[in-house]
């Protein structure tokens, strides 16, 4: 029995009517990747307000690793609702906050004393990590990378690379933010898996410290272990570990932004584990809360304790329902089967993806780590090509599969499916992608464009 069920054209009449209302009530800046409205979700399946059923390979942008309405998460949240809803951890304590902090301190990479601050969103975790690093070092500057995404607050946006739509019209940005390449220059990344030596990375930073900002002015370097919005770029072997070493030598706080890569997405609880690095601070959000808003900054106790009492916190940070959900998420990952599932989903996708790449010249790269996988599209000159990515996402939705685009050049289609997706559902979704790759190739005259 197929999972996908389409009763109407997509979007159906009920979704179209809601879109009409949305257009009048919600500003256009709140982008809608799809024109559908959902009335029910479970596992990896979404049902829209017209009764159409979709397979979800977007997972609320990587937020639903344990599946929509995960039963353990629902149970934990329900029990919490019966006890109390909001207290504010800065007013009266509750055990689940401390419990979650202890668990994150234990589960994040690094066998050193750690502490955890809980906040509401990925961007807020980024903001707090930089505040903490500045308080610890007494230094102003922050290093970040090309193609990074760190959120939509003023500092998150200043650290983010892509200008449109994220930064357009919102300047001036925060000063003392400096950008280095993410491993190799973007132009030489496609299909190349060239490792970087320690010396390569030394040279890169030496250039930065001599010509851009002095090392002793830098409080922190913040980096995604795999670029998320930037196009699911896996860094060259050796890059992250060399960066971490150099930061340590200069007293620069090394911050891993695991908002998108974290909580099992890549087949490890944290992507840093793949690269053997132990960040000073690690940021979690998205799938940590199993669908509820929650984020964390976890790191070396002496760094986390730098802000004075009252210097960090917030009204809702680590709210009781979100803490209960996160504790249930951690239990879901405890036996390792979801992590194994993430790895096998990734391998399965890559096998299909490589066969598509052999068939379609406009697929420049198939890449990712664990269940964080993507297809990159290029034109005949090897330059980023956005049209196929946009068309593929559009056609897949019309055929019952939700995928998202990504990349500084919008030329990447990325998969962030719930890890609980059944094999039959995943195969069904991949078949829809395959069929629509063929349709997009025909529509764009791929062979004529690329092969002439
Ligand atoms: C790596 C990374 N950092 C930070 C953020 C911002 O998270 P939020 O949208 O929860 O503020 C995101 C969101 O996509 C992200 O992918």
């Amino acid at each position: 029995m197929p999972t996908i069920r389409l009763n109407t054209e997509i979007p159906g009449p009920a979704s179209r009517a809601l879109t009409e209302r949305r257009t009048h009530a919600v500003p256009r800046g709140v982008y809608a990747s799809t024109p559908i409205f959902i009335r029910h979700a479970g596992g990896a399946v979404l049902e829209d307000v017209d009764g159409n059923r979709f397979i979800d390979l977007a997972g609320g942008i990587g937020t639903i690793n344990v599946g929509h309405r995960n039963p353990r998460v629902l149970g934990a949240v329900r029990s919490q609702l019966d006890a109390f809803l909001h207290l504010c951890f800065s007013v009266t304590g509750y055990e689940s906050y401390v419990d979650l902090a202890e668990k994150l301190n234990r589960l994040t990479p690094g066998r050193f004393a750690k502490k955890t601050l809980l906040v509401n969103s990925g961007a807020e975790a980024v903001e707090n990590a930089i505040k903490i690093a500045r308080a610890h070092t007494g230094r102003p500057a922050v290093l970040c990378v090309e193609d990074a995404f760190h959120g939509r607050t003023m500092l998150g946006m200043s650290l983010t690379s892509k200008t449109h739509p994220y930064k357009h019209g919102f300047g001036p940005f925060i000063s003392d933010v400096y950008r280095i390449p993410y491993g190799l220059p973007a132009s030489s990344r496609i299909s190349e898996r060239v490792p970087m030596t320690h010396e390569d990375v030394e040279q890169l930073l030496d250039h930065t410290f001599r010509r851009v900002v002095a090392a002793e002015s830098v409080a922190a370097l913040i980096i995604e272990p795999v670029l998320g919005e930037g196009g699911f770029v896996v860094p060259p072997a050796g890059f992250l570990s060399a960066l971490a070493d150099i930061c340590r030598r200069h007293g620069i706080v090394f911050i891993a932004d695991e908002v998108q890569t974290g909580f099992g997405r890549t087949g490890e609880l944290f992507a840093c584990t793949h690269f053997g690095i132990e960040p000073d601070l690690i940021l979690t959000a998205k799938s940590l809360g199993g669908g509820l808003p929650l984020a964390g900054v976890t790191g070396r106790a002496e760094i986390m304790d730098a802000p004075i009492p009252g210097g960090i916190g917030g009204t809702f940070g680590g709210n009781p329902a979100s803490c209960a959900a996160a504790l249930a998420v951690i239990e879901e990952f405890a036996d390792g089967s979801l992590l194994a599932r993430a790895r096998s989903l990734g391998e399965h996708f890559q096998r299909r993806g490589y066969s598509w790449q052999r068939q379609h010249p406009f697929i420049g790269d198939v890449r990712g780590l664990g269940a964080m996988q993507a297809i990159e599209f290029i034109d005949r000159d090897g330059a980023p090509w956005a049209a196929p990515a946009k068309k593929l996402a559009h056609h897949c939705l019309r055929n019952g599969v939700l995928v998202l685009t990504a990349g500084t050049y919008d030329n990447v289609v990325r998969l962030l499916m719930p890890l609980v997706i059944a094999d039959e559902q995943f195969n069904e979704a991949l078949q829809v992608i395959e069929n629509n790759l063929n349709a997009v190739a025909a529509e764009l005259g791929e062979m004529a464009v690329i092969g002439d």
Side-chain angles (χ1 to χ4, degrees):
M1 263 275 284
T3 294
I4 297 169
R5 184 188 64 202
L6 302 177
N7 304 321
T8 68
E9 59 177 338
I10 307 296
S15 276
R16 283 204 304 275
L18 282 167
T19 296
E20 177 67 17
R21 284 172 54 197
R22 172 191 167 124
T23 306
H24 293 291
V26 179
R28 63 178 186 161
V30 185
Y31 184 64
S33 305
T34 74
I36 56 171
F37 280 73
I38 300 304
R39 72 172 174 210
H40 193 269
V45 180
L46 301 176
E47 187 174 317
D48 77 1
V49 286
D50 292 288
N52 299 303
R53 220 161 48 203
F54 301 84
I55 298 176
D56 181 13
L57 302 187
I61 322 189
T63 301
I64 304 292
N65 289 356
V66 296
H68 289 283
R69 293 173 53 256
N70 176 287
R72 197 192 293 260
V73 170
L74 292 190
V77 173
R78 281 194 189 110
S79 318
Q80 182 58 52
L81 299 185
D82 287 337
F84 53 88
L85 251 187
H86 177 68
L87 300 169
C88 184
F89 192 68
S90 293
V91 178
T92 58
Y94 40 92
E95 188 173 352
S96 56
Y97 189 121
V98 179
D99 212 0
L100 181 55
E102 286 169 350
K103 290 205 160 67
L104 287 170
N105 295 342
R106 191 165 45 75
L107 292 169
T108 45
R111 296 273 143 259
F112 38 80
K114 292 187 214 132
K115 293 193 174 183
T116 289
L117 161 74
L118 298 175
V119 289
N120 301 294
S121 68
E124 211 187 328
V126 168
E127 295 275 337
N128 278 284
I130 303 298
K131 280 168 67 173
I132 292 166
R134 282 180 168 169
H136 171 70
T137 57
R139 303 171 178 180
V142 185
L143 290 181
C144 56
V145 299
E146 289 167 1
D147 301 314
F149 184 85
H150 295 294
R152 294 170 179 278
T153 54
M154 194 50 80
L155 178 55
M157 207 175 28
S158 304
L159 296 166
T160 289
S161 190
K162 189 174 177 176
T163 55
H164 292 75
Y166 302 131
K167 302 170 87 159
H168 176 71
F170 296 141
F173 301 106
I174 307 255
S175 62
D176 274 310
V177 167
Y178 305 96
R179 210 169 289 285
I180 61 170
Y182 191 79
L184 303 166
S187 56
S188 56
R189 268 190 208 134
I190 287 181
S191 293
E192 288 185 18
R193 307 277 189 256
V194 187
M196 281 181 98
T197 63
H198 206 285
E199 205 185 337
D200 295 333
V201 186
E202 288 277 1
Q203 270 178 15
L204 182 78
L205 283 201
D206 188 54
H207 160 91
T208 305
F209 294 149
R210 280 176 196 279
R211 299 166 71 190
V212 182
V213 58
E216 62 271 24
S217 296
V218 180
L221 179 146
I222 182 165
I223 191 161
E224 296 157 85
V226 176
L227 289 178
E229 306 298 301
F232 282 26
V233 178
V234 182
F239 178 58
L240 291 177
S241 55
L243 274 185
D245 279 353
I246 296 165
C247 283
R248 195 158 306 123
R249 217 171 56 227
H250 290 285
I252 296 169
V253 176
F254 184 92
I255 305 171
D257 180 342
E258 292 244 21
V259 168
Q260 194 158 161
T261 51
F263 263 82
R265 174 53 41 191
T266 66
E268 296 284 353
L269 214 43
F270 298 98
C272 283
T273 306
H274 291 283
F275 305 102
I277 51 169
E278 297 179 348
D280 297 313
L281 303 181
I282 189 161
L283 313 185
T284 46
K286 289 191 185 279
S287 278
L288 166 66
L292 268 70
L294 184 66
V297 181
T298 301
R300 290 182 186 273
E302 68 277 15
I303 299 179
M304 292 297 296
D305 269 336
I308 58 170
I312 50 177
T315 305
F316 278 113
N319 80 82
S322 296
C323 285
L327 290 167
V329 166
I330 289 173
E331 278 175 33
E332 281 291 284
F333 277 99
D335 70 0
S337 57
L338 271 182
L339 295 178
R341 181 74 183 144
R343 292 191 287 271
S344 76
L345 286 169
E347 285 158 15
H348 185 159
F349 171 77
Q350 288 206 331
R351 278 195 299 278
R352 287 291 280 272
Y354 291 146
S355 78
W356 299 336
Q357 190 180 14
R358 283 193 292 277
Q359 211 181 323
H360 293 292
F362 68 177
I363 299 184
D365 203 6
V366 171
R367 60 167 179 249
L369 199 56
M372 186 173 181
Q373 290 290 335
I375 310 170
E376 179 164 63
F377 293 94
I378 51 168
D379 68 13
R380 67 174 146 184
D381 300 319
W385 195 16
K390 192 171 172 197
K391 279 183 182 294
L392 182 63
H394 176 95
H395 287 321
C396 283
L397 185 75
R398 268 71 190 170
N399 290 281
V401 173
L402 224 91
V403 293
L404 296 173
T405 57
T408 300
Y409 298 93
D410 300 313
N411 63 323
V412 174
V413 166
R414 58 174 156 169
L415 306 192
L416 288 164
M417 51 278 172
L419 305 176
V420 297
I421 190 169
D423 280 337
E424 310 77 62
Q425 291 170 335
F426 196 47
N427 280 326
E428 193 181 340
L430 292 181
Q431 193 55 49
V432 168
I433 296 178
E434 181 170 313
N435 297 345
N436 287 286
L437 270 172
N438 295 333
V440 171
E443 213 174 299
L444 289 173
E446 174 198 25
M447 296 307 166
V449 174
I450 291 178
D452 62 1

